[in-house]
C-alpha cells in the first residue's frame, strides 16, 4: 500500500515540475514571434505526457493568423486552465503529504481521496488537451511550414544563380590594366606604323618542318606574351623554336607591338589575324554558319539576367567565346600550316616550365592527338561531356571512355590528314547545331573528333587546375613541364589564387614601358 502511495506521490511531483518547465519553454516560444525554436519543442514534447502536448498546441497556436481579440482571449483562457491545474496539483500534494511519512498510520479513506484527486487532475489535463486542439489546425501548420521551406529554397536557388553569374562576370570581364595595355600598344602601332610592318617575304623558318612549331590562339596580349616568354626562357635552343600567334583583327596591332618590341633569344614569332585565312568562311566553317542563326544569337547575346542564369550548372557555356573562331581554330591546323608535320598547341593560360622538345621525339603510334588524360574513377568520362540519351552518341561512343585535356596538345598533322579529322569535326558540329549532342565548347567535339586517335601522355607534361583547385601540391607543380590555369581564377585577374600567381607573373615583362604605364600588379 505504501509503495503505491509513494509511486503516486512521485508522479504528482514529476507532473507538477514538468508542467512548470514545459510552460516556461512555451512562453519562450511565444515571445519569439517567428517561432525559431518551435521545431525543437515539437520534437521534445511529442514523446512527453499528454499535458505537455496540450501546452505545446496552445503555444504554437498563437502563431496562426488569428484575429487580435481572439488571440488574446484564447491565450487568457489557456493561461487560466494551466494555472488552475498547477494550483490544484500543489494543493493535492500538500493535503496528502502525511501519507509518505513511514511512522504515520495509513488511512484508507485518505488513500481513496488521494486516488480520486489524482484521477481528477488527469481528467483536467485531458480537458486542457481537448480545449487546446480546438484552436490548433495540424494540417494548416504543416502546410505553412512547407510553404516556408519552399520559399526559403527559392531564395537560396536565386542567391546561388546570382552568385554564379557574378563569378562569371568577374572571371570573364577584362581588367582595366589589360585594357590599358592593349590601348597603349595600339596607340604605339598607330603612331609608328613603319616600325611594325611585316616583311614582304615571310622568313623561311615559319614553314621549316625541321624546327619546333607552336600554335597559340589568343586575343589576350599579356597572356600570349607570358606563354612565349616562358617557353623561350626554358628552351635549350630557342632559335629553333617557331611561335605562330593568331589573334583577331582588333588585337593584331597590339600583338605586333608586344612581340616586336624585344628579342626572344632568336626565336621566330609569326603574328597574324585569323581573318587573313581566306578558307575560314561561313560556307566552309560550321561555327561561322551557326553564328548567323537567330536562335543562337539570342542564346548568346540577349542581354538579360534571367536568361543568363536559367541553368547555373551550364551557365559558363553561354559565354560567346565558345563560338569564337579563335576557340575553334584548333580544328584547322593542317590547313593553316600545310607544310608542317607536327605542331604543339598551347592555350594562352599556361606557363611552360621546362624544355618541350622531347615531345617531338615521342612515337605517336599513328595517333593524331597527344594529350594528358584527366579521368579518375567516374570523373571526366565521356558521359559527362556528351548526351548519351541521343541514339547517335550512344551508338558511336563509350560513355566510360577517358577524357583528356586541352591546353597542351601535340598534334601529328600527317596522321590528322590521313584520318580526315577536320571533316569529322564538321560532320559532328553540323549535327549539333541545336545543341542536342553536347553543350557548347571545344572539348566535346575534340573528344569526338579524336576518339580512338588520342595518345595518352605522361601526366607530368601537363598539370591542370591552377585556376580552380587550391589543393594541388607544389611538388606536382614543380615537376610539371606545363602548368595550366584552367578555371575562373586566371592569373591576370584579382581573383587569382595567391599561391599560384607567382608562377605566371615571373614571366611578365615588367621592364616594358607599356606594362609599367598600366600598373599591372606583380
Amino acid at each position: 500500500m505504501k509503495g503505491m502511495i509513494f509511486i503516486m506521490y512521485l508522479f504528482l511531483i514529476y507532473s507538477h515540475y514538468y508542467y512548470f518547465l514545459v510552460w516556461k519553454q512555451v512562453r519562450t516560444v511565444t515571445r519569439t514571434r517567428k517561432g525559431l525554436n518551435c521545431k525543437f519543442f515539437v520534437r521534445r514534447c511529442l514523446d512527453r505526457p499528454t499535458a505537455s502536448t496540450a501546452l505545446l498546441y496552445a503555444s504554437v497556436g498563437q502563431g496562426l493568423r488569428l484575429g487580435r481579440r481572439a488571440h488574446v482571449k484564447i491565450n487568457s483562457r489557456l493561461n487560466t486552465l494551466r494555472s488552475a491545474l498547477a494550483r490544484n496539483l500543489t494543493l493535492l500534494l500538500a493535503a496528502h503529504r502525511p501519507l509518505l511519512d513511514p511512522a504515520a498510520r495509513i488511512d484508507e479513506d485518505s488513500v481513496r481521496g488521494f486516488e480520486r484527486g489524482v484521477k481528477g487532475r488527469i481528467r483536467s489535463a485531458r480537458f486542457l488537451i481537448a480545449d487546446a486542439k480546438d484552436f490548433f489546425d495540424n494540417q494548416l501548420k504543416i502546410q505553412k511550414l512547407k510553404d516556408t521551406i519552399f520559399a526559403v529554397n527559392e531564395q537560396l536557388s536565386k542567391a546561388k544563380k546570382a552568385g554564379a553569374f557574378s563569378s562569371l562576370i568577374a572571371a570573364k570581364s577584362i581588367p582595366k590594366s589589360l585594357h590599358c595595355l592593349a590601348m597603349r600598344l595600339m596607340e604605339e602601332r598607330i603612331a609608328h606604323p613603319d616600325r611594325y610592318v611585316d616583311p614582304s617575304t615571310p622568313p623561311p623558318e615559319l614553314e621549316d618542318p625541321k624546327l619546333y612549331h607552336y600554335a597559340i590562339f589568343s586575343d589576350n596580349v599579356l597572356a600570349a606574351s607570358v606563354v612565349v616568354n616562358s617557353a623561350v626562357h626554358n628552351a635549350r635552343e630557342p632559335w629553333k623554336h617557331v611561335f605562330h600567334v593568331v589573334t583577331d583583327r582588333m588585337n593584331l596591332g597590339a600583338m605586333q607591338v608586344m612581340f616586336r618590341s624585344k628579342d626572344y633569344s632568336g626565336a621566330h614569332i609569326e603574328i597574324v589575324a585569323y581573318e587573313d585565312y581566306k578558307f575560314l568562311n561561313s560556307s566552309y566553317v560550321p561555327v561561322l554558319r551557326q553564328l548567323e542563326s537567330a536562335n543562337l544569337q539570342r542564346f548568346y547575346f540577349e542581354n538579360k539576367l534571367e536568361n543568363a542564369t536559367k541553368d547555373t550548372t551550364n551557365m559558363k557555356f553561354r559565354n560567346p567565346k565558345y563560338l569564337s573562331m579563335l576557340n575553334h581554330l584548333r580544328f584547322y591546323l593542317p590547313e593553316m600550316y600545310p607544310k608542317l608535320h607536327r605542331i604543339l598547341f598551347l592555350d594562352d593560360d599556361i606557363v611552360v616550365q621546362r624544355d618541350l622538345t622531347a615531345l617531338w621525339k615521342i612515337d605517336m603510334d599513328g595517333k593524331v592527338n597527344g594529350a594528358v588524360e584527366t579521368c579518375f574513377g567516374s570523373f571526366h568520362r565521356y558521359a559527362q561531356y556528351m548526351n548519351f540519351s541521343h541514339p547517335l552518341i550512344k551508338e558511336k561512343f563509350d560513355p566510360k571512355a577517358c577524357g583528356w585535356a586541352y591546353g597542351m596538345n601535340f598534334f601529328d598533322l600527317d596522321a590528322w590528314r590521313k584520318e580526315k579529322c577536320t571533316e569529322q569535326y564538321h560532320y559532328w558540329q553540323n549535327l549539333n547545331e541545336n545543341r542536342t549532342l553536347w553543350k557548347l565548347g571545344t572539348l566535346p567535339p575534340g573528344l569526338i573528333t579524336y576518339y580512338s586517335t588520342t595518345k595518352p601522355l605522361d601526366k607530368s607534361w601537363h598539370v591542370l587546375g591552377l585556376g580552380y583547385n587550391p589543393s594541388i601540391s607544389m611538388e606536382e607543380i614543380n615537376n610539371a613541364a606545363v602548368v595550366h590555369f584552367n578555371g575562373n581564377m586566371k592569373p591576370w585577374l584579382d581573383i587569382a589564387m595567391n599561391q599560384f600567381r607567382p608562377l605566371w607573373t615571373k614571366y611578365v615583362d615588367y621592364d616594358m614601358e607599356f606594362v609599367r604605364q598600366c600598373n599591372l600588379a606583380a
Side-chain angles (χ1 to χ4, degrees):
M1 179 66 72
K2 285 188 175 182
M4 184 180 71
I5 293 172
F6 180 72
I7 291 171
M8 295 175 67
Y9 181 77
L10 288 179
F11 169 75
L12 286 175
I13 293 175
Y14 169 76
S15 299
H16 191 190
Y17 181 67
Y18 177 70
Y19 294 153
F20 171 75
L21 290 180
V22 171
W23 187 252
K24 187 176 179 181
Q25 292 174 350
V26 169
R27 293 297 293 174
T28 301
V29 176
T30 303
R31 291 191 185 105
T32 307
R33 289 187 176 183
K34 294 184 179 180
L36 297 178
N37 296 318
C38 283
K39 186 175 181 181
F40 168 77
F41 291 127
V42 168
R43 290 182 174 174
R44 182 169 179 179
C45 294
L46 283 178
D47 297 328
R48 298 287 188 174
T50 53
S52 68
T53 306
L55 296 174
L56 178 66
Y57 277 131
S59 65
V60 180
Q62 296 180 23
L64 298 176
R65 292 187 176 181
L66 302 174
R68 179 65 182 170
R69 294 180 180 177
H71 175 81
V72 173
K73 183 178 179 181
I74 292 169
N75 190 42
S76 177
R77 183 176 180 182
L78 293 175
N79 272 330
T80 302
L81 289 173
R82 198 275 311 172
S83 298
L85 180 59
R87 186 169 55 255
N88 289 338
L89 285 172
T90 302
L91 293 174
L92 183 64
L93 290 173
H96 296 87
R97 193 174 297 278
L99 291 175
L100 293 178
D101 188 356
R105 179 175 173 274
I106 297 176
D107 185 357
E108 292 187 4
D109 292 336
S110 298
V111 172
R112 291 191 185 97
F114 185 49
E115 184 179 1
R116 285 194 300 271
V118 171
K119 290 181 179 179
R121 273 57 176 186
I122 293 175
R123 281 196 300 273
S124 298
R126 288 175 178 170
F127 290 148
L128 184 58
I129 292 170
D131 206 20
K133 282 185 176 180
D134 290 339
F135 302 106
F136 190 88
D137 187 340
N138 287 325
Q139 294 302 320
L140 180 62
K141 192 60 181 178
I142 290 172
Q143 186 59 46
K144 184 177 180 181
L145 290 174
K146 286 183 178 179
D147 292 343
T148 302
I149 292 171
F150 178 79
V152 171
N153 283 335
E154 285 292 304
Q155 292 177 359
L156 179 61
S157 178
K158 289 181 180 179
K160 285 183 176 179
K161 289 180 179 180
F165 186 69
S166 299
S167 175
L168 186 66
I169 291 176
K172 304 306 178 185
S173 298
I174 300 176
K176 182 179 179 180
S177 55
L178 287 187
H179 182 71
C180 166
L181 179 61
M183 293 299 100
R184 294 283 186 181
L185 293 171
M186 183 59 72
E187 182 183 27
E188 168 67 14
R189 178 68 176 82
I190 295 172
H192 305 95
D194 296 338
R195 296 180 185 177
Y196 308 103
V197 174
D198 291 327
S200 56
T201 303
E205 291 84 1
L206 299 182
E207 296 181 337
D208 188 350
K210 296 179 181 179
L211 301 180
Y212 305 108
H213 292 263
Y214 302 79
I216 303 167
F217 307 145
S218 176
D219 58 0
N220 187 326
V221 179
L222 187 64
S225 71
V226 167
V227 176
V228 175
N229 287 341
S230 62
V232 170
H233 178 81
N234 291 285
R236 295 191 187 96
E237 299 174 311
W239 56 89
K240 292 185 178 180
H241 295 252
V242 182
F243 298 90
H244 303 272
V245 180
V246 182
T247 186
D248 53 27
R249 193 161 285 161
M250 184 174 68
N251 291 283
L252 179 61
M255 288 282 189
Q256 289 173 334
V257 176
M258 172 63 80
F259 287 103
R260 291 176 184 171
S261 296
K262 62 173 285 188
D263 175 60
Y264 287 88
S265 302
H268 309 280
I269 302 176
E270 178 189 31
I271 312 294
V272 296
Y274 75 82
E275 291 91 344
D276 294 333
Y277 293 99
K278 302 305 179 185
F279 69 89
L280 295 175
N281 53 67
S282 59
S283 63
Y284 178 65
V285 179
V287 168
L288 293 177
R289 183 167 60 253
Q290 290 166 11
L291 269 177
E292 299 172 358
S293 164
N295 289 334
L296 206 60
Q297 289 179 10
R298 277 197 302 272
F299 180 81
Y300 277 106
F301 302 110
E302 198 169 54
N303 189 22
K304 292 182 179 179
L305 177 63
E306 59 271 22
N307 288 344
T309 57
K310 282 179 182 176
D311 187 355
T312 305
T313 304
N314 296 307
M315 188 188 302
K316 67 176 185 177
F317 295 115
R318 301 184 70 91
N319 192 320
K321 83 163 193 174
Y322 288 103
L323 279 182
S324 165
M325 264 316 299
L326 285 175
N327 213 36
H328 287 259
L329 280 179
R330 63 194 71 187
F331 293 104
Y332 299 96
L333 291 171
E335 293 159 288
M336 296 172 69
Y337 310 108
K339 295 184 179 181
L340 301 184
H341 304 305
R342 292 187 168 191
I343 195 168
L344 181 63
F345 169 77
L346 297 175
D347 265 341
D348 64 359
D349 55 353
I350 65 98
V351 171
V352 178
Q353 298 192 130
R354 71 169 188 248
D355 184 78
L356 300 178
T357 55
L359 285 168
W360 276 262
K361 301 175 184 178
I362 293 176
D363 183 1
M364 292 290 287
D365 299 321
K367 304 292 186 180
V368 176
N369 172 35
V372 170
E373 293 183 331
T374 56
C375 61
F376 60 97
S378 60
F379 295 97
H380 298 287
R381 302 283 178 178
Y382 269 48
Q384 293 180 280
Y385 300 101
M386 289 169 255
N387 177 21
F388 274 87
S389 63
H390 195 286
L392 196 56
I393 294 291
K394 186 176 182 180
E395 176 187 355
K396 297 290 185 179
F397 305 100
D398 179 8
K400 295 181 180 179
C402 188
W404 43 266
Y406 267 129
M408 191 211 75
N409 302 82
F410 188 71
F411 290 108
D412 186 330
L413 300 183
D414 292 333
W416 183 317
R417 298 179 184 102
K418 181 179 179 181
E419 297 289 340
K420 299 182 178 179
C421 291
T422 302
E423 288 82 350
Q424 287 290 322
Y425 161 70
H426 284 176
Y427 170 77
W428 289 102
Q429 190 70 40
N430 283 323
L431 290 177
N432 193 50
E433 183 171 358
N434 295 323
R435 304 178 300 280
T436 56
L437 303 184
W438 68 83
K439 295 293 183 181
L440 292 165
T442 53
L443 182 55
L447 294 174
I448 289 175
T449 301
Y450 309 118
Y451 183 65
S452 75
T453 61
T454 295
K455 180 180 178 63
L457 300 179
D458 187 271
K459 292 186 182 298
S460 64
W461 280 110
H462 185 191
V463 170
L464 299 102
L466 277 70
Y468 69 90
N469 184 7
S471 62
I472 303 174
S473 69
M474 290 308 299
E475 181 182 2
E476 185 179 5
I477 290 174
N478 292 332
N479 292 331
V482 169
V483 291
H484 193 174
F485 289 84
N486 57 312
N488 284 339
M489 300 178 185
K490 301 298 185 187
W492 54 83
L493 299 175
D494 292 336
I495 60 175
M497 285 184 274
N498 293 329
Q499 67 268 37
F500 300 145
R501 198 166 186 270
L503 299 170
W504 185 84
T505 56
K506 67 186 289 188
Y507 295 108
V508 175
D509 290 318
Y510 289 108
D511 294 333
M512 190 178 188
E513 177 187 358
F514 305 111
V515 174
R516 292 198 307 270
Q517 290 174 349
C518 293
N519 299 318
L520 285 157

